[in-house]
Structures are given as structure tokens and as C-alpha cells.
Amino acid sequence: MAGLGSQRCASRGASALLAAALLYAALGDVVRSEQQIPLSVVKLWASAFGGEIKSIAAKYSGSQLLQKKYKEYEKDVAIEEIDGLQLVKKLAKNMEEMFHKKSEAVRRLVEAAEEAHLKHEFDADLQGLGQSDGTGLTCYDGRHYEYFNAVLINERDKDGNFLELGKEFILAPNDHFNNLPVNISLSDVQVPTNMYNKDPAIVNGVYWSESLNKVFVDNFDRDPSLIWQYFGSAKGFFRQYPGIKWEPDENGVIAFDCRNRKWYIQAATSPKDVVILVDVSGSMKGLRLTIAKQTVSSILDTLGDDDFFNIITYNEELHYVEPCLNGTLVQADRTNKEHFREHLDKLFAKGIGMLDIALNEAFNILSDFNHTGQGSICSQAIMLITDGAVDTYDTIFAKYNWPDRKVRIFTYLIGREAAFADNLKWMACANKGFFTQISTLADVQENVMEYLHVLSRPKVIDQEHDVVWTEAYIDSTLPQAQKLADDQGLVLMTTVAMPVFSKQNETRSKGILLGVVGTDVPVKELLKTIPKYKLGIHGYAFAITNNGYILTHPELRPLYEEGKKRRKPNYSSVDLSEVEWEDRDDVLRNAMVNRKTGKFSMEVKKTVDKGKRVLVMTNDYYYTDIKGTPFSLGVALSRGHGKYFFRGNVTIEEGLHDLEHPDVSLADEWSYCNTDLHPEHRHLSQLEAIKLYLKGKEPLLQCDKELIQEVLFDAVVSAPIEAYWTSLALNKSENSDKGVEVAFLGTRTGLSRINLFVGAEQLTNQDFLKAGDKENIFNADHFPLWYRRAAEQIPGSFVYSIPFSTGTVNRSTVVTASTSIQLLDERKSPVVAAVGIQMKLEFFQRKFWTASRQCASLDGKCSISCDDETVNCYLIDNNGFILVSEDYTQTGDFFGEVEGAVMNKLLTMGSFKRITLYDYQAMCRANKESSDSAHGLLDPYKALLSAAKWIMTELVLFLVEFNLYGWWSSDMTAEAQKLKQTLEPCDTEYPAFVSERTIKETTGNIACEDCSKSFVIQQIPSSNLFMVVVDSSCLCESVAPITMAPIEIRYNESLKCERLKAQKIRRRPESCHGFHPEENARECGGASSLQAQLALLLLPLILSLFSR
């Protein structure tokens, strides 16, 4: 037993020793894990790589040579601090003059149109028929008149003869109109598909408006920068100059109706507050409710940003379509209108209609809202959509509206019965409104438009030709926009418009609106008036409307890409506060809306490089109003180098000589010379224009003398670098592996030089510095990305980056390095230029791995190497993106997604900091219940088809009208609801990361579940890069990756309601024409007279139904 006890003791002792050994081994592993990454070795690697890569970047970019050349001129230049207030006032004055020229062109059209109509005597027998007289002019023999129909021009029948209204119309590509085929001698006319193009009212209007051709051409001669000019008739036709051919859509339809355009509605009417009452009693079931919904939707189309509205349904009770907005009105911006449209789909009919309750509520809302001072403070109206009214409700009108009749009543009788027509017409006529009957979906649009003519009467009688300017918009319905969309993206523009009135004495009290004339002003034309070189590297100009919406701003993103570029639904109503979101109290926005002149400062976080990087800086904002328009202008200047400008001086001869170098180019989107003023200059590049101007060969050229003088200076100072680059390229021993491919420079004046060290066909990145590479070239909005980032780097150091692709996976094969050139060795020095190179990523990475194999031991045996399986080595930039990794697929990824635990520790230690950013123009994926029926109602072709089916149903059996309608239209209104994933506007929050400049090196240990993970981070000298060496034996999987993925900001119902109710400060239009004592209120409508004409229009569709 003693032996057994001894054995047990020995066994326990052995076990204890084994446990101790295991514990020691485990502790040893931990100790080794903490100590296996020597800081000194990583520092050696970082120093070796930094020295090597800076040597390459400096050598091939020529940065030291260029810095030396600018230093030589240091004593000969004058440095000035930019006076932001004077600058913004000058820019506003330039814009005012430009806008005035456009509005004067429109005014001349108004005068010509009113004079032509005054002289014209309406001919009811005038027909749109006839033949060409062979001269290219339209014919008129007293009875027949042929005009150029934009759809039919140059069309022939099977025998080769021109169609009626479609004779030969000469079209030729014109570079001023983006090389579209146009006729700059004549206009042509578009008539909507649902209108009869030979109707006497239309033909008479087309005939007298032909006199506008001379004015169109004269306007274009006076101001060659003008683009499209047009006249939109109240009858529905659209005369456009220059003439262009229109093509129907795939359904053979042209849905464009000029009277639905914002420029038309704004010019024709004054701002208005509107309450829409919709009858949802039991008698409104079936087709009637469908027509009522479409009528509401069409009314919403006619409301703009200066209008306010609400929608109330009624039966025995009142129901606000949006319960949150009980008792108030909201601004008719696109977001609010779409919100209400979504609620319209949920309406259903039941019960008895109690119109008196609804009318009382509507009058009270309008009165209360008017007293708040928040609405239009101009016209007010109640829109009543119902299938009948059993009373005239004169006691209600007497209580609220008589005798002043400040609230107009517009009544829409839905359905074919006329039993209640008299009551509804009386209500409209007794309250200065209009009555109309809508029997089919095809009737809706034309009948809704009638109310606009009524609201325009006071303005017409006053003969007040108010100039209106629209917010920025993209009109993709016009043929020129459709043809440009594929190649250049859709064009953002504003329109200046004025109403055209009848001046015939016998029509004065009727206040007849003839139409609206207008011309488009592309936003890029505004940017041409802004001298980007005066705003500095990060500076920019922006403009907003009286509602605070952006007219132009470099952060406005109106398009999104999903297969092809598309407009965001709410792109035209992006508020300034949504891009300058750091101004939480709207100080800047409200001052600009109120047309103040002043200054405002704040720290901003500006994203660059597709939103993945952030620059933190302090901006000074200067702002003032643009007189004669509803717009206000702002200028943002970044503090530091952004507030300073310098003037150099060289002779014209010196500068011209150096501008002749083949490697020189200038920013195409900057205006050195105005090449739009004269047609013979339009083919000139800016560089060609400058050369002609300086040589005195084109005295008519207007150029910016100050800017050109600075261009000459930069050309002279930077000229030696061309010979320097050439000598490097000719030395075959240099760059033998062709790792460096491109060297480039840019100066503050938009001058660029580029040198290729390899053949153009051998370039790894074929798009770099090309016109399509918007991020990396000078454009109207910003300096190149490599220039902007270099300017924020410590002078003398390089910023390295890999370009991000637009796809979800970033697999770049090149690295860009750039550095800034400063005039003085101080923060106030302006950054005069930036230079850089682009090299192969494989070449760059090879240099890194070579450096990471070095060690200081005398025997050559390194204690650690990036080749070891126990460590992972990375090269990341100051925003945390990986440039080098052993796993090549991680290139371009965010470091936190690969090494979440280490990134989290770096954030905790302060080596990196997280910056929270917001995107109020984001698009998020959402699952929506949808059927094609909802969209079908908005499609003109489907609406007509639906109406045709309904007519056929009536012909078959009148008594069961609605049941058969449901059978006929089952493909449109009875589709099962299905989930559909769509992109919807949303707000998102997302992080960006920036390294702390003062921290050069850090070591750390991370306590994980069963191990300790060590790492070392070391800054690469003279760069924005960091080497990170991480212990790979400890996975630390318990720490989640850190991503940069945006998170949608979701608002609960209470917050949604508050956001709907919230109304930011806005400025009302200065003019208001709500009423006029001479107005003839007897012109207040009648039953629809379109049914016979409609039947003729629908006959082909009806026949097509039987052929299916």
C-alpha cells in the first residue's frame, strides 16, 4: 500500500509539473504573442518603404523641380486675401445680367404673340389641310392652312408622298444644340396625342403664333447662348424653336402636354391654397371612384412648390386622407404629393355623402391656415369631386364666402348623369369657380386644366406679365432630352417664363390666357459665370430658390444609377439644409431665403471619392440675392489656403510660347473665353480661343483677362517640367519595368500637363484623366480629387490612393500619388499646383513586400517577416482602406471589415476617429405592394384604352355599367397585389474614418475569448499611409467587423407626422393676382362637350379591341 501511495504521490507530482508546464507554455504563448512583433523592425520596414516610394514619386512627378520653379518667382508675385463678400456680390451681378438677357428674350416673345393675336380674326372654317407651295413655307389660301407638325414632318406615305402636316422640314446637326438635328430658321408644332391636330381652335392658334418664328430667330441672333425657346398654348399645342422632330413612345403616344409643365402653371397662375374634397359615398363605387382618384392625381400635378393643399374624403363622416395633417395644409412639393397619391389607392366607397360637413371643414381650414401666415396668402380654392349634390348649400357660402367670394369653388361632376349638374354648376358660378363634368378617364386631364384658366383671369385683366423662374429640373419628356440621355446624361435646367394674354377689348373681362412663352437655361450656364480659380481648391458657389431648394450645388445628386441613369423622385426639391446639414439651425438657409447679404461660418465634413473619404474643414459662407429672380447666391471658401489668391506676371510672348506645348490642356468646363456668343467660335476649345485672343486674331472674343494672365504665368513656371519628364522617358535604364505609367500636374488656373512613360495602349487605367473621369479632372464644380487630397496633406509629403470603382467590388490595378506645391512655407500660402504619378498596383506592392523583408540583424536572420504565417501585414491609408494585403482580393476594402478587432482598438486608442455622416439624398431598397393598375391610370395610352373599354361596355348593357366595366378592365384594376422591390428616397447615416495626424506609431494588445491579439501600426514617412502588422494566430472572432455600410434612418409614425407638418421658412413670390373686380364670373363652365369628339378619337382603339 505504501508503494501505491508513493505512486499516487508521484503521479500527483507529475500531474502538477505537467499542469505547470502547460500553464507556462500557455503564458509563454501569450508573452510570445505580445512580443513577436517588434516595433523597431516594423519601423525599419516602414522607413525603407517610405523612402523608396517617395523617391519614386518625387522623381517621376518632378515635384521638387516644380516647387523650385515657383520659389524662383516668389518675390515677383502678389498674394491677396479673397474678399468673400465682394466676390459673391460680383458673381450675383453677373448672374443677374445673364438672367436679365434671358427674360428680355421672353418679353419680346410675349409682345410679338399678343400683337399677332390682336390682329388675328378667328376663322371657324380654317382647317389644317393643304399642300406645300414648294418654298418650304406654310400655305394659307383663306380656307386651308398647313403647318409643320413636329411628329409628322418628313414622313411619307407608301407612295412616297409627304403626309398632310408632314412636308419636308430641313434638319441639320447643330453643335450648340448638342449636335441634335434641328432647323434654326423655323419652329415646329407638337400637338398631344389626345387632341385633334386639325381642330379649328388649334389651327387658328398655330396660324397666328407662326409670327413668333421671326422673334425666335432674332432672339437667337441677339443672344447666341440661348437654347430652346417655345410657346405653350392654352389650347394645348406647343411651338418649339429650333424645330426638331418628335417621336411617339412605344405605344404610339406623345403624352407631353405643355399645360402640365411647371413653367406653364407658375406663369399662368398665382400661388394658391387648395382643399380637395372627394365624395366616397356608396354611389361612387366602381369606375366613378377610379375617375375621382385620377382627377385628384391630375389636380396634384398642377400644384407647385408655392402652393399648399390637403385632401379630405367624406361620406357620413370626414376622413383626412393623411390623418396626421388634420386641420392644416402642406406645401405641394413632390414628396408630399407622392405621399398623398399613395394614400389615394386605399380609398373605398360606402355610405351616404354629407357634403355640408365637408364644406364647413374646408372653409374653416382655409381661414385658419390663412391666419397663420404660412400659406400662399393669395388665391384660395375648394375642389369638389362628386357624382352629385342634393342642395346648393347657399347658407354655407353666405356664412363663409359671400359677398367677397375670396374662396373659389371648382366642381367636378363624375359620371354621365346630369341630374345634379345644375346644383354643382350653381355652386361654382356663385363662387367665381368653374364646373365641369368628367365621364371617362380620357376626359380627366383636359377638364382639370380648366381651373387654371379661371385662376389666371385676374392676372390677365391686370395685364401683369410676371416673370417666373422654375426650380432646377430635368424634363426628359422633350425629344432633345431623350436623345441626350444615353450619351451625356439628363440635363439640369431652370426655365424663365411669362404669360401671354388676349388684348382684344371684347375679351378683357373674360381674362383670356393665350398661353405661356419660355426659354430654358441649363444650370451649367450659371456655372460658367463663376470663376472657379477665385474660389480655391475646396471652394464652391451654390444657389437656392425662394423655397430653400437647391438650384445648383456641387453636392446635389439628381440622378441615381440602376442599369441606366434615372432621376430621383424628389431631386428637384432638395433643400439646402439637406446638403449643408451641419447647419442644424438653418442659419445659412434662412438668411438666404430671406434675401439677406452676409457671412456665416461653420465646421463642415465634405465627402470626396464617391463618398468614401471625408475632409474636415472650416468654411466661411458669403451670400446675397440675385435681383430680378427668386434666387439667392452663396459662396463657400475654406479657411487657410482657400482664402488666398496670388497674381503672377509674365509677358504674353513668354506665355504664348509655353502654351503651345502639346502636353498643355485647360479645364473644358471653365470659362476662359466666352465661345457661345458667336457661332464661329463655338467649335473652339478654350485653349484655342485663348491663343486666338492673345494673338489678336479674334477681336469679338470676350475673355477673362485676369484668369488668362495667371494661365500664362502657370504655363511659363511649369514649362521646364515637360523637358524633365521627356528626359526620364528617354532614359531606358529608368523605369525599366514600366511600373510608373503617367506623370501629371495641375495648377490653380485649371492648366494641366500630362506625360506618359508607356505607350497609350499599354496604360493599365485607360480612363484616367479622360473627359469621362470626372473625379480626376478640373470641372465646373471642383478641382481634381488628387489635387484636393494633396492640398490637405502636409507640404512635401505624398498622398497615395487607389481609385474606387462604381461597382460593389473594388479591384483597382493602379495607385495614384500626388503632392501639393505651395508658394510660401506657411499655412496662409496659396496652393499653386499639385503634381503626381500613377503607377501599377503590382509595382507598388512589390516595393512594399521587398521593404518588409529587411531586418537589422548582423547574421541576416530576421526575428519576424511578413512571410511568416503568424502575422498578417497590411498597408492602409489615412481613411483605413487597404492598398496592400497578402490576400490580393482585400485590396480596396475597408480595414475594419478585414480586421474588426484591430480597427476597433485603433478607434478606442484614438489612432483613428469615426466621423458620422448623413445622406439626405439616398436611395434605399424597399418592398412595396404594387400592381400595374395604379401605374396604368397615369399612362395616357392605358387611360384611353380603359375609356374605350368602358364605352364598349355601355354599348352592350347600360344597366350593369360598373359590373361590366370591372370585367373589361380586369387586366388593369383587378390585378392581385404583389410585393415589388423598388428604390425609394430615404435618409441614411454612415461612418467615415480618419487617422489622427499626431500619432505616428502605436502598439496594442486585444484580449479576446481565449487568446491575446497583438498588433503594431507605424506611419510611413512623408505619406498618408500606415503599415499594420497583426498577429494572425489569434483570430478574435468575437469582435464583429466594422463596416462603412449606410444605415437607413427610420422614422416612427410620430416623427413622420412631425416631418410632414414641419414647414421651413420660405419666401412667397412677390406678386399675387387672386381677384379682380372686373372679372366675368359668368364664364363658369358647363357639361362636357367632348364626348362626340372623344368617340371619334377612340374609334381606332375600339376596333383594335376586337382584333385582339
Side-chain angles (χ1 to χ4, degrees):
M1 295 294 290
L4 183 59
S6 300
Q7 288 176 1
R8 285 177 177 169
C9 287
S11 176
R12 288 193 187 118
S15 298
L17 287 172
L18 178 62
L22 290 173
L23 177 61
Y24 179 79
L27 290 171
D29 284 344
V30 172
V31 171
R32 282 195 296 276
S33 176
E34 292 177 357
Q35 295 179 348
Q36 67 179 344
I37 308 176
L39 177 60
S40 59
V41 174
V42 178
K43 201 167 189 175
L44 174 67
W45 295 345
S47 178
F49 175 68
E52 172 80 356
I53 206 67
K54 183 185 179 183
S55 173
I56 292 170
K59 177 179 179 179
Y60 285 95
S61 68
S63 59
Q64 292 172 340
L65 172 64
L66 191 61
Q67 181 70 70
K68 178 183 175 184
K69 289 299 176 184
Y70 272 102
K71 280 287 185 182
E72 290 174 1
Y73 286 86
E74 185 177 323
K75 296 179 181 178
D76 300 324
V77 301
I79 297 178
E80 301 174 5
E81 184 170 357
I82 299 170
D83 186 334
L85 214 50
Q86 288 304 312
L87 177 61
V88 77
K89 288 178 180 178
K90 182 179 179 182
L91 295 184
K93 185 66 177 176
N94 292 342
M95 286 191 179
E96 178 190 335
E97 291 172 0
M98 189 269 285
F99 282 135
H100 180 71
K101 286 175 69 175
K102 310 300 181 190
S103 60
E104 283 303 298
V106 171
R107 196 177 301 278
R108 285 190 288 272
L109 288 171
V110 169
E111 292 169 356
E114 291 181 347
E115 184 66 20
H117 179 262
L118 184 61
K119 293 178 179 178
H120 176 74
E121 187 173 337
F122 185 84
D123 183 355
D125 296 323
L126 186 61
Q127 300 175 27
L129 300 169
Q131 300 297 324
S132 171
D133 62 1
T135 65
L137 300 173
T138 51
C139 303
Y140 177 52
D141 60 10
R143 301 284 297 182
H144 301 116
Y145 166 67
E146 185 171 27
Y147 62 91
F148 291 113
N149 185 294
V151 179
L152 301 176
I153 53 173
N154 300 330
E155 295 288 333
R156 298 176 185 264
D157 59 22
K158 60 183 179 181
D159 298 324
N161 299 316
F162 285 112
L163 299 178
E164 281 184 350
L165 307 181
K167 56 188 178 181
E168 184 178 12
F169 191 72
I170 298 171
L171 298 171
N174 188 294
D175 55 357
H176 183 61
F177 296 92
N178 299 97
N179 286 317
L180 292 172
V182 297
N183 186 317
I184 59 171
S185 300
L186 294 168
S187 62
D188 57 5
V189 175
Q190 175 263 345
V191 181
T193 301
N194 66 333
M195 302 189 72
Y196 184 46
N197 60 22
K198 297 177 185 176
D199 183 286
I202 288 179
V203 177
N204 272 268
V206 171
Y207 178 71
W208 65 255
S209 67
E210 191 168 272
S211 62
L212 293 178
N213 274 327
K214 291 180 181 179
V215 188
F216 285 143
V217 174
D218 180 57
N219 278 343
F220 191 41
D221 288 340
R222 292 184 189 212
D223 180 6
S225 67
L226 280 174
I227 52 169
W228 310 101
Q229 303 173 65
Y230 38 81
F231 168 63
S233 168
K235 300 298 181 185
F237 71 83
F238 181 68
R239 181 178 287 281
Q240 182 180 20
Y241 172 88
I244 188 171
K245 185 167 177 61
W246 289 55
E247 302 288 349
D249 64 18
E250 63 274 11
N251 294 319
V253 171
I254 292 181
F256 179 85
D257 187 326
C258 60
R259 297 167 300 175
N260 268 343
R261 302 294 99 182
K262 279 193 174 183
W263 51 265
Y264 184 99
I265 295 168
Q266 277 185 241
T269 65
S270 294
K272 49 198 169 293
D273 298 336
V274 176
V275 176
I276 303 172
L277 300 179
V278 185
D279 183 354
V280 290
S281 62
S283 61
M284 287 288 289
K285 286 181 179 177
L287 175 62
R288 290 180 179 176
L289 188 58
T290 301
I291 294 174
K293 291 177 183 179
Q294 181 61 14
T295 301
V296 174
S297 185
S298 293
I299 292 172
L300 292 180
D301 284 337
T302 66
L303 303 180
D305 296 327
D306 293 323
D307 303 322
F308 292 78
F309 78 103
N310 204 336
I311 305 174
I312 302 173
T313 63
Y314 69 92
N315 39 36
E316 300 96 344
E317 299 176 342
L318 292 178
H319 307 275
Y320 281 84
V321 168
E322 171 48 79
C324 161
L325 297 172
N326 190 318
T328 188
L329 303 182
V330 293
Q331 190 175 8
D333 60 33
R334 183 182 177 101
T335 301
N336 287 338
K337 289 191 291 186
E338 288 306 312
H339 180 81
F340 274 84
R341 278 197 176 96
E342 291 175 6
H343 282 67
L344 287 179
D345 290 338
K346 303 171 186 174
L347 298 186
F348 59 93
K350 68 173 184 177
I352 302 169
M354 304 292 286
L355 179 54
D356 55 338
I357 302 174
L359 286 172
N360 274 292
E361 182 74 3
F363 276 113
N364 283 323
I365 291 175
L366 290 172
S367 175
D368 293 345
F369 192 70
N370 195 46
H371 288 140
T372 67
Q374 292 182 326
S376 69
I377 316 296
C378 192
S379 299
Q380 291 194 318
I382 296 172
M383 310 287 200
L384 174 59
I385 301 167
T386 180
D387 63 348
V390 296
D391 192 5
T392 58
Y393 303 100
D394 50 329
T395 55
I396 295 176
F397 299 129
K399 176 181 178 182
Y400 291 104
N401 208 35
W402 295 344
D404 296 331
R405 296 186 289 176
K406 289 293 180 74
V407 179
R408 297 178 188 269
I409 307 294
F410 296 94
T411 53
Y412 300 90
L413 176 59
I414 306 299
R416 59 194 300 275
E417 290 84 358
F420 300 106
D422 289 342
N423 284 347
L424 289 171
K425 184 174 182 179
W426 183 91
M427 292 162 64
C429 295
N431 293 279
K432 288 191 174 181
F434 199 87
F435 163 79
T436 186
Q437 185 168 3
I438 303 177
S439 302
T440 72
L441 285 167
D443 291 344
V444 172
Q445 183 167 305
E446 195 66 26
N447 282 286
V448 165
M449 298 303 298
E450 292 291 347
Y451 96 86
L452 294 175
H453 301 149
V454 174
L455 290 183
S456 69
R457 284 177 191 163
K459 182 181 285 193
V460 179
I461 297 171
D462 280 334
Q463 295 290 297
E464 290 287 346
H465 294 90
D466 299 326
V467 180
V468 299
W469 293 87
T470 68
E471 77 283 4
Y473 72 102
I474 300 167
D475 197 342
S476 58
T477 57
L478 294 177
Q480 59 266 28
Q482 293 169 349
K483 292 177 182 179
L484 285 173
D486 293 337
D487 300 329
Q488 302 174 27
L490 300 170
V491 179
L492 201 63
M493 67 182 73
T494 179
T495 294
V496 54
M498 292 176 68
V500 180
F501 309 140
S502 171
K503 290 197 169 185
Q504 295 172 349
N505 287 332
E506 60 272 21
T507 66
R508 176 173 170 77
S509 66
K510 296 180 180 179
I512 295 178
L513 176 76
L514 300 177
V516 173
V517 292
T519 185
D520 296 333
V521 183
V523 167
K524 65 181 181 181
E525 291 298 312
L526 309 185
L527 298 178
K528 286 181 179 179
T529 67
I530 299 168
K532 187 72 184 77
Y533 70 103
K534 282 284 188 73
L535 305 182
I537 300 164
H538 303 299
Y540 54 90
F542 58 98
I544 64 171
T545 69
N546 59 299
N547 286 299
Y549 298 151
I550 292 171
L551 181 69
T552 179
H553 192 292
E555 297 298 321
L556 177 65
R557 307 192 313 274
L559 305 177
Y560 70 96
E561 204 156 342
E562 191 180 42
K564 67 175 184 177
K565 287 187 176 179
R566 306 169 190 270
R567 291 177 298 174
K568 293 178 180 176
N570 56 344
Y571 76 95
S572 63
S573 56
V574 176
D575 197 90
L576 181 65
S577 60
E578 294 177 313
V579 292
E580 301 287 354
W581 50 265
E582 295 92 343
D583 178 17
R584 297 295 185 185
D585 296 324
D586 289 343
V587 176
L588 173 64
R589 177 201 180 276
N590 293 346
M592 293 183 69
V593 165
N594 289 323
R595 302 182 74 84
K596 304 289 186 183
T597 297
K599 176 186 175 183
F600 174 72
S601 302
M602 66 177 174
E603 184 181 86
V604 296
K605 304 169 183 68
K606 292 299 179 185
T607 58
V608 297
D609 209 358
K610 300 179 174 66
K612 293 180 179 289
R613 306 183 189 277
V614 63
L615 300 175
V616 180
M617 61 189 73
T618 299
N619 276 356
D620 291 326
Y621 295 86
Y622 303 90
Y623 49 87
T624 191
D625 63 316
I626 304 173
K627 291 178 174 54
T629 76
F631 309 134
S632 292
L633 177 68
V635 164
L637 301 177
S638 61
R639 286 190 183 170
H641 57 73
K643 295 291 291 290
Y644 296 91
F645 176 75
F646 82 91
R647 301 177 189 276
N649 194 22
V650 294
T651 65
I652 291 177
E653 291 73 19
E654 284 181 291
L656 258 177
H657 175 268
D658 290 324
L659 276 180
E660 298 287 353
H661 290 190
D663 69 328
V664 172
S665 63
L666 294 177
D668 285 339
E669 295 185 15
W670 290 22
S671 287
Y672 302 85
C673 295
N674 191 340
T675 55
D676 287 332
L677 288 179
H678 300 282
E680 63 269 23
H681 297 151
R682 288 184 185 137
H683 68 283
L684 296 174
S685 69
Q686 288 294 321
L687 187 55
E688 290 168 339
I690 288 176
K691 291 175 183 178
L692 291 174
Y693 171 74
L694 293 174
K695 293 174 182 177
K697 294 184 177 180
E698 290 290 341
L700 295 178
L701 266 175
Q702 295 183 13
C703 299
D704 186 332
K705 294 180 182 179
E706 183 181 2
L707 174 55
I708 290 177
Q709 179 59 48
E710 299 312 309
V711 168
L712 295 179
F713 178 81
D714 286 351
V716 170
V717 178
S718 64
I721 208 166
E722 181 190 19
Y724 174 82
W725 284 338
T726 302
S727 67
L728 284 177
L730 292 175
N731 190 339
K732 299 297 183 183
S733 63
E734 301 284 355
N735 198 29
S736 57
D737 54 3
K738 298 181 179 178
V740 179
E741 297 187 332
V742 186
F744 51 86
L745 75 79
T747 75
R748 79 241 151 85
T749 58
L751 181 144
S752 298
R753 293 180 186 270
I754 302 171
N755 183 79
L756 302 184
F757 293 114
V758 298
E761 71 285 349
Q762 296 176 294
L763 286 172
T764 305
N765 183 0
Q766 292 283 335
D767 297 329
F768 185 56
L769 302 178
K770 300 288 178 61
D773 187 15
K774 293 292 187 185
E775 282 267 273
N776 286 305
I777 61 173
F778 290 95
N779 62 44
D781 279 338
H782 54 67
F783 277 54
L785 175 63
W786 46 265
Y787 198 131
R788 285 179 284 164
R789 294 195 65 208
E792 297 310 305
Q793 192 70 12
I794 296 171
S797 62
F798 280 81
V799 58
Y800 301 85
S801 63
I802 58 174
F804 291 110
S805 63
T806 53
T808 54
V809 179
N810 187 59
R811 296 292 173 259
S812 179
T813 53
V814 294
V815 174
T816 301
S818 60
T819 187
S820 62
I821 307 297
Q822 291 195 322
L823 196 62
L824 306 174
D825 297 325
E826 57 178 272
R827 180 63 181 167
K828 289 186 177 181
S829 170
V831 174
V832 296
V835 293
I837 61 171
Q838 190 165 93
M839 63 191 112
K840 292 179 182 176
L841 177 61
E842 178 270 331
F843 168 79
F844 180 80
Q845 291 180 336
R846 188 162 14 102
K847 296 294 182 184
F848 175 82
W849 295 124
T850 300
S852 69
R853 294 188 180 99
Q854 297 187 23
C855 61
S857 62
L858 296 176
D859 59 3
K861 295 181 179 179
C862 302
S863 60
I864 186 173
S865 167
C866 284
D867 293 331
D868 296 348
E869 292 185 359
T870 57
V871 295
N872 288 331
C873 296
Y874 304 93
L875 185 70
I876 66 174
D877 66 20
N878 60 313
N879 298 117
F881 293 103
I882 298 172
L883 282 81
V884 182
S885 170
E886 292 164 57
D887 182 353
Y888 182 79
T889 62
Q890 293 172 351
T891 305
D893 290 348
F894 177 58
F895 182 66
E897 294 175 353
V898 177
E899 295 280 0
V902 178
M903 190 68 205
N904 189 61
K905 187 70 173 180
L906 291 174
L907 289 169
T908 304
M909 298 168 69
S911 297
F912 275 77
K913 59 182 177 182
R914 179 198 302 261
I915 296 174
T916 301
L917 303 170
Y918 298 92
D919 184 358
Y920 296 104
Q921 301 176 71
M923 298 290 286
C924 299
R925 295 204 172 274
N927 291 320
K928 292 188 71 174
E929 278 193 358
S930 68
S931 71
D932 291 338
S933 60
H935 300 288
L937 291 177
L938 302 179
D939 186 306
Y941 175 78
K942 290 185 178 178
L944 285 169
L945 183 59
S946 176
K949 290 182 177 183
W950 178 67
I951 288 175
M952 290 299 298
T953 303
E954 285 194 311
L955 293 174
V956 176
L957 191 57
F958 166 75
L959 292 175
V960 285
E961 172 184 278
F962 298 115
N963 292 337
L964 280 181
Y965 170 76
W967 168 64
W968 274 95
S969 62
S970 60
D971 63 318
M972 297 181 66
T973 58
E975 291 187 3
Q977 295 288 316
K978 54 189 176 184
L979 280 178
K980 182 180 179 183
Q981 193 173 73
T982 60
L983 280 173
E984 298 288 330
C986 63
D987 299 339
T988 60
E989 175 185 308
Y990 64 101
F993 299 87
V994 180
S995 64
E996 176 53 59
R997 280 185 175 179
T998 58
I999 300 177
K1000 306 297 183 184
E1001 58 192 35
T1002 301
T1003 61
N1005 293 288
I1006 305 161
C1008 303
E1009 290 176 330
D1010 53 1
C1011 60
S1012 179
K1013 189 180 188 73
S1014 63
F1015 66 89
V1016 171
I1017 180 169
Q1018 175 69 50
Q1019 186 176 35
I1020 306 295
S1022 302
S1023 79
N1024 67 317
L1025 303 177
F1026 296 86
M1027 177 179 280
V1028 188
V1029 183
V1030 180
D1031 173 12
S1032 63
S1033 60
C1034 180
L1035 298 179
C1036 213
E1037 293 176 332
S1038 60
V1039 181
I1042 297 175
T1043 73
M1044 297 182 67
I1047 300 170
E1048 182 179 356
I1049 301 172
R1050 297 190 178 274
Y1051 302 100
N1052 60 34
E1053 290 304 315
S1054 175
L1055 276 174
K1056 282 181 182 177
C1057 182
E1058 290 303 314
R1059 285 166 62 83
L1060 278 171
K1061 286 182 177 180
Q1063 292 191 18
K1064 289 182 175 289
I1065 290 176
R1066 53 181 293 277
R1067 190 179 72 256
R1068 295 181 198 87
E1070 294 178 0
S1071 66
C1072 169
H1073 306 278
F1075 296 91
H1076 197 284
E1078 297 177 24
E1079 183 181 341
N1080 181 1
R1082 292 189 299 275
E1083 296 287 330
C1084 51
S1088 173
S1089 61
L1090 296 175
Q1091 292 184 10
Q1093 181 178 313
L1094 177 67
L1096 292 173
L1097 282 171
L1098 293 174
L1099 186 58
L1101 287 173
I1102 294 169
L1103 294 175
S1104 73
L1105 294 175
F1106 291 105
S1107 64
R1108 294 189 175 185

